[in-house]
């Protein structure tokens, strides 16, 4: 997706060789046109695949996932990182370690929003080591759902996530694949869509 790659090139800042700051269009301020195009691109890429709902993890996955759900005409489910005091009903929980942030959080979803037998497309902003994706997949499995595929805005291809998903035979569509971020310059691999 050229607009996304252009935004990464012109607005993204490599904080070091591992972390890309994209808070001007993705993580803090949001470029809604790019998110809308991303949603439409994911919907096209997964056309023909049975998708009953789209799921993401709060917070930065919500914008692209919402446009994907809209384009596919299915509900969006936002998996939570914090339990709420007003939560009712049965929920599933999985601990997820964030290597980038050095924290562990409890990923949570109400079973009622991931009905058994449904096919779920997982959308997220970044793919790094794949911990969030594997946590989400564990949640789907605990709810009796199938994974339809994974859509990622920015894949850091120099980290292990993509390879781990490929080893499991999981179809992953990344709209921007960052090969390296040396000396402030971002280089890309060919995107999946
Ligand atoms: P992983 O899930 O692929 O293993 O990734 P990791 O644990 O390393 O990432 C955890 C969090 O850090 C995620 O956000 C992810 O989106 C974000 N992240 C990973 N690499 C980068 C990067 O290079 N740049 C930026 N800006 N973020 C990165 P999160 O905790 O879910 O935060 P948010 O969705 O609330 O923004």
């Amino acid at each position: 997706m050229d607009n996304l790659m252009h935004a990464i090139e012109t607005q993204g800042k490599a904080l070091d060789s591992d972390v890309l700051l994209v808070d001007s269009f993705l993580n803090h301020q949001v470029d809604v046109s790019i998110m809308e195009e991303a949603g439409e691109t994911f919907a096209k890429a997964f056309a023909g695949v049975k998708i009953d709902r789209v799921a993401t993890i709060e917070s930065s996955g919500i914008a692209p996932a919402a446009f994907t759900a809209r384009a596919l005409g299915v509900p969006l489910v936002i998996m939570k990182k914090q339990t709420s005091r007003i939560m009712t009903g049965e929920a599933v929980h999985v601990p997820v370690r964030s290597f980038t942030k050095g924290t562990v959080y409890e990923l949570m979803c109400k079973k009622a929003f991931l009905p058994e037998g449904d096919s779920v497309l997982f959308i997220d902003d970044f793919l790094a080591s794949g911990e969030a994706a594997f946590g989400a997949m564990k949640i789907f499995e605990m709810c009796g759902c199938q994974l339809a595929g994974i859509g990622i805005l920015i894949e850091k291809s120099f980290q292990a996530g993509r390879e781990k998903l490929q080893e499991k035979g999981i179809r992953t569509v990344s709209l921007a694949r960052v090969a390296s971020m040396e000396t402030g310059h971002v280089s890309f691999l060919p995107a999946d869509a």
Side-chain angles (χ1 to χ4, degrees):
M1 219 186 91
D2 291 348
N3 289 335
L4 174 61
M5 286 191 271
H6 181 71
I8 294 170
E9 274 173 328
T10 55
Q11 299 178 48
K13 288 186 187 73
L15 292 186
D16 50 39
S17 57
D18 279 344
V19 177
L20 181 66
L21 185 71
V22 286
D23 59 358
S24 66
F25 66 92
L26 177 54
N27 296 135
H28 200 350
Q29 176 173 258
V30 177
D31 187 323
V32 181
S33 311
I34 291 180
M35 300 305 137
E36 184 174 24
E37 192 186 345
E40 285 162 0
T41 308
F42 287 134
K44 267 190 212 130
F46 287 98
V49 177
K50 179 183 182 288
I51 296 169
D52 299 303
R53 51 194 68 221
V54 170
T56 190
I57 298 176
E58 61 179 349
S59 58
S60 301
I62 295 174
F67 282 110
T68 308
R70 176 81 177 143
L72 290 167
V74 298
L76 167 65
V77 179
I78 301 164
M79 290 179 276
K80 307 277 190 179
K81 290 184 196 152
Q82 290 158 4
T83 31
S84 157
R85 284 194 299 136
I86 56 164
M87 250 286 300
T88 57
E90 202 186 340
V92 289
H93 300 253
V94 168
V96 175
R97 175 175 297 280
S98 163
F99 287 107
T100 305
K101 295 188 175 171
T103 52
V104 177
Y105 61 88
E106 194 81 1
L107 189 61
M108 187 276 285
C109 192
K110 260 172 125 164
K111 282 185 93 170
F113 299 134
L114 288 174
E116 193 174 342
D118 267 16
S119 187
V120 184
L121 176 64
F122 176 63
I123 301 289
D124 211 357
D125 57 339
F126 270 93
L127 175 63
S129 49
E131 295 295 318
F134 278 91
M137 282 155 51
K138 184 77 197 159
I139 294 265
F140 303 154
E141 190 190 313
M142 289 163 86
C143 291
C145 294
Q146 286 90 48
L147 179 73
I150 295 183
I152 297 291
L153 250 68
I154 305 177
E155 170 191 311
K156 293 191 290 182
S157 310
F158 52 87
Q159 291 186 247
R162 171 68 175 234
E163 217 172 288
K164 288 198 269 180
L165 292 173
Q166 237 160 6
E167 275 166 18
K168 296 259 175 212
I170 294 161
R171 182 164 173 225
T172 305
V173 171
S174 299
L175 303 186
R177 304 185 65 209
V178 175
S180 69
M181 308 190 300
E182 259 110 63
T183 60
H185 173 76
V186 179
S187 58
F188 295 100
L189 292 173
D192 297 310

